[in-house]
C-alpha cells in the first residue's frame, strides 16, 4: 500500500519550491483563489495590522508577578485567542539553528525530499505540498515536512537524515517547545480558574506534531495563499516564523496581519482549549499569505492531548447557567475528519457544537 500511495504521489506532485525555482511568472491555475477569497495585499482595501498582546513569560516565575501575568493571559485568550510571548526561555541560537536546518532541508533536490512524501495524514513523518494536495480543490503555495516530536526518542529516528544537522537542531527546538507548552497550558488552566495541573498527565502523554513550513516567493501573491483559513485542532500551537505572513480573522470577520517581532513566538489557542473552556476561550481562524520577494519559513509546534484521549468541557466550567456547549473529541477524530472533509467548507469544531452562541 505504501508503494502505491507513493507512486500516485509522484505522478501528481509538483512542489511550490520547484515552481518558484523554475522561474514561473504566473501561478498555475490550480493555485488561483476565487475572487472573494483572495488576500488583495496590494489594494487600497488591503488588510490592517493587529496589535496582539505581548506577554513577558519570564515573569510567570516570580510569585508576586505571576497573578498579573495570568490575568494578561486571560485577557489575551478572551479578546484574541492569540498572543505573542517574549523571554520564553528558548534561546536565539536554538531558534536560528532550527531555521537553518529547515532551510537546508527545503533546498534539497526534490527526489531526496520525496523519499518522505505521503498524502496520508496519519503518517508520522511526511513531506508534502499545499494543505492536502490530493484533495485540495485549490492548491496553496506551501511545502512542508511534518513529524511527530514527542516523546522525541520515539520518533526522531524517522526524521530526515539529510541534512545531517536536521535531527539535532530541530530536535533541540522541539524539546524546548514541549517544555514551553507545558508552562503555557498551566497558565491558561489557571486563568480559567482550574488547577494549573488540570491537564498535566494528558500533556506529558500527549502529541506534538512539528509542522515545518516553507512558503517560497510567489509571482502573484494577491491571488494565492500559503494556507487556507482554518483553526488548529490541538490545545495550543506555538509558532516560530522568519518573517510576517500570518493573518487572523478579527471579531468583525475582517482579516488582519500579525506583525513580526524579532525573538517573539506566537501562541494560538486550538480547538481543544475552546472545548475545555466551554467556549470561554475561542480558537481563531487564521490563514497564511505569501509574498513576491522572498521565502518565508515557519515552525508550527502543534500540541495535543494523546491521540485517542477525548476532551470535553471541564466539569468546573459547566453549571445550570452554562451547559456543556460541545461534544467530546480526540486528535484521532480530527484526523479522520480532515481525511474526508474540506476544512475550507466547514471547521471541525463546528461539528462539535451543541448550540450556537
Amino acid at each position: 500500500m505504501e508503494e502505491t500511495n507513493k507512486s500516485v504521489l509522484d505522478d501528481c506532485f509538483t512542489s511550490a519550491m520547484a515552481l518558484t525555482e523554475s522561474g514561473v511568472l504566473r501561478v498555475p491555475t490550480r493555485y488561483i483563489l476565487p475572487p472573494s477569497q483572495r488576500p488583495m495585499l496590494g489594494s487600497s482595501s488591503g488588510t490592517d495590522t493587529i496589535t496582539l498582546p505581548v506577554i513577558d513569560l519570564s515573569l510567570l516565575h516570580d510569585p508576586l508577578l505571576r497573578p498579573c501575568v495570568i490575568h494578561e493571559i486571560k485577557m489575551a485568550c478572551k479578546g484574541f485567542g492569540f498572543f505573542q510571548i517574549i523571554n520564553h526561555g528558548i534561546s536565539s541560537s536554538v531558534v536560528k539553528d532550527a531555521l537553518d536546518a529547515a532551510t537546508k532541508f527545503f533546498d534539497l533536490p526534490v527526489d531526496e525530499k520525496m523519499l518522505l512524501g505521503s498524502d496520508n495524514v496519519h503518517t508520522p513523518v511526511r513531506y508534502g505540498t499545499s494543505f492536502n494536495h490530493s484533495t485540495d480543490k485549490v492548491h496553496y503555495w506551501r511545502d512542508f515536512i511534518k513529524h511527530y516530536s514527542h516523546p522525541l526518542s520515539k520518533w526522531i529516528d524517522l526524521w530526515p537524515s539529510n541534512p545531517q544537522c536536521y535531527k539535532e537542531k530541530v530536535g533541540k527546538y522541539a524539546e524546548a517547545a514541549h517544555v514551553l507548552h507545558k508552562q503555557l497550558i498551566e497558565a491558561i488552566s489557571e486563568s480559567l480558574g482550574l488547577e494549573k495541573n488540570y491537564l498535566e498527565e494528558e500533556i506529558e502523554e500527549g502529541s506534538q506534531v512539528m509542522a515545518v513550513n516553507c512558503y517560497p516567493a510567489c509571482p502573484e501573491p494577491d491571488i494565492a495563499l500559503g494556507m487556507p483559513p482554518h483553526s488548529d485542532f490541538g490545545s495550543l500551537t506555538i509558532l516560530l516564523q522568519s518573517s510576517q505572513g500570518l493573518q487572523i480573522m478579527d471579531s468583525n470577520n475582517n482579516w488582519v496581519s500579525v506583525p513580526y517581532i524579532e525573538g517573539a513566538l506566537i501562541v494560538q489557542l486550538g480547538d481543544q482549549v475552546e472545548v475545555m473552556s466551554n467556549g470561554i476561550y475561542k480558537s481563531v481562524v487564521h490563514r497564511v499569505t505569501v509574498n513576491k520577494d522572498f521565502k518565508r519559513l515557519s515552525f508550527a509546534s502543534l500540541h495535543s492531548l494523546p491521540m485517542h484521549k477525548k476532551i470535553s468541557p471541564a466539569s468546573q466550567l459547566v453549571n445550570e447557567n452554562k451547559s456543556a456547549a460541545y461534544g467530546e473529541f480526540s486528535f484521532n477524530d480530527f484526523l479522520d475528519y480532515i481525511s474526508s472533509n474540506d476544512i475550507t467548507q466547514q471547521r471541525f469544531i463546528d461539528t462539535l457544537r451543541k448550540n450556537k452562541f
Side-chain angles (χ1 to χ4, degrees):
M1 182 64 78
E2 276 297 316
E3 285 302 313
T4 304
N5 285 343
K6 190 171 186 309
S7 64
V8 169
L9 193 69
D10 288 345
D11 289 343
C12 62
F13 186 98
T14 304
S15 71
M17 277 281 284
L19 289 169
T20 297
E21 289 168 353
S22 73
V24 293
L25 299 177
R26 311 295 294 266
V27 298
T29 304
R30 65 182 179 276
Y31 290 93
I32 298 175
L33 292 159
S36 64
Q37 296 174 27
R38 295 175 187 176
M40 306 302 290
L41 299 173
S43 72
S44 57
S45 59
T47 53
D48 294 324
T49 297
I50 191 169
T51 303
L52 288 180
V54 180
I55 296 173
D56 185 341
L57 219 60
S58 67
L59 302 181
L60 276 177
H61 306 298
D62 184 327
L64 293 177
L65 296 175
R66 185 177 177 91
C68 297
V69 183
I70 297 296
H71 180 72
E72 283 183 47
I73 289 173
K74 180 177 183 176
M75 292 298 98
C77 290
K78 286 189 78 167
F80 298 93
F82 271 71
F83 53 95
Q84 303 220 43
I85 53 174
I86 57 174
N87 297 323
H88 41 66
I90 303 181
S91 72
S92 58
S93 62
V94 168
V95 166
K96 180 182 180 300
D97 283 352
L99 288 169
D100 287 348
T103 299
K104 289 175 180 173
F105 173 80
F106 288 112
D107 284 344
L108 290 172
V110 68
D111 289 350
E112 179 75 22
K113 291 178 285 193
M114 283 302 295
L115 295 173
L116 297 166
S118 175
D119 55 10
N120 180 354
V121 298
H122 293 274
T123 303
V125 179
R126 66 186 182 102
Y127 166 70
T129 192
S130 190
F131 188 78
N132 187 346
H133 90 278
S134 62
T135 58
D136 292 338
K137 292 185 176 71
V138 175
H139 284 233
Y140 299 93
W141 202 263
R142 165 215 190 207
D143 297 341
F144 65 85
I145 180 166
K146 289 185 178 182
H147 39 66
Y148 290 9
S149 303
H150 178 76
L152 192 62
S153 58
K154 180 177 179 180
W155 302 112
I156 196 166
D157 287 345
L158 300 175
W159 288 15
S161 298
N162 192 9
Q164 288 187 339
C165 65
Y166 189 92
K167 290 178 182 177
E168 179 191 356
K169 290 183 175 180
V170 178
K172 282 183 179 177
Y173 178 75
E175 286 186 310
H178 175 73
V179 171
L180 177 58
H181 172 249
K182 185 178 177 184
Q183 293 176 17
L184 288 164
I185 279 292
E186 287 178 353
I188 287 169
S189 296
E190 272 188 70
S191 75
L192 286 165
L194 304 171
E195 293 293 328
K196 76 174 187 176
N197 61 358
Y198 177 75
L199 288 175
E200 183 177 28
E201 186 178 325
E202 289 87 345
I203 294 308
E204 204 43 54
E205 296 175 1
S207 163
Q208 177 187 12
V209 177
M210 190 67 72
V212 188
N213 303 303
C214 175
Y215 304 98
C218 175
E220 295 181 287
D222 282 349
I223 61 173
L225 282 172
M227 281 278 275
H230 67 286
S231 62
D232 292 341
F233 67 88
S235 54
L236 295 180
T237 298
I238 299 169
L239 183 73
L240 160 65
Q241 54 179 353
S242 64
S243 58
Q244 185 169 308
L246 179 68
Q247 293 185 338
I248 64 175
M249 185 173 279
D250 68 12
S251 55
N252 297 315
N253 291 333
N254 295 317
W255 289 108
V256 289
S257 294
V258 176
Y260 171 74
I261 299 176
E262 182 78 35
L265 298 171
I266 297 171
V267 179
Q268 307 168 197
L269 300 189
D271 294 345
Q272 289 179 348
V273 165
E274 177 169 337
V275 169
M276 177 189 79
S277 74
N278 203 25
I280 296 171
Y281 297 162
K282 299 289 197 302
S283 62
V284 176
V285 174
H286 53 285
R287 68 183 185 181
V288 178
T289 59
V290 287
N291 73 83
K292 206 167 191 173
D293 301 315
F294 55 86
K295 173 170 62 181
R296 174 177 176 267
L297 294 173
S298 75
F299 279 73
S301 189
L302 301 142
H303 300 266
S304 168
L305 274 61
M307 181 75 73
H308 297 283
K309 174 75 174 179
K310 301 279 188 179
I311 190 163
S312 56
S315 58
Q316 299 92 320
L317 303 177
V318 177
N319 54 53
E320 58 187 24
N321 298 318
K322 176 79 170 176
S323 60
Y326 304 83
E328 62 180 14
F329 82 101
S330 69
F331 178 16
N332 202 62
D333 294 335
F334 169 79
L335 290 177
D336 288 343
Y337 180 82
I338 64 169
S339 295
S340 53
N341 292 274
D342 182 352
I343 65 156
T344 64
Q345 300 302 309
Q346 183 179 34
R347 293 171 63 195
F348 172 67
I349 197 166
D350 291 339
T351 69
L352 305 172
R353 297 186 199 277
K354 292 185 175 180
N355 47 46
K356 304 295 181 188
F357 45 80

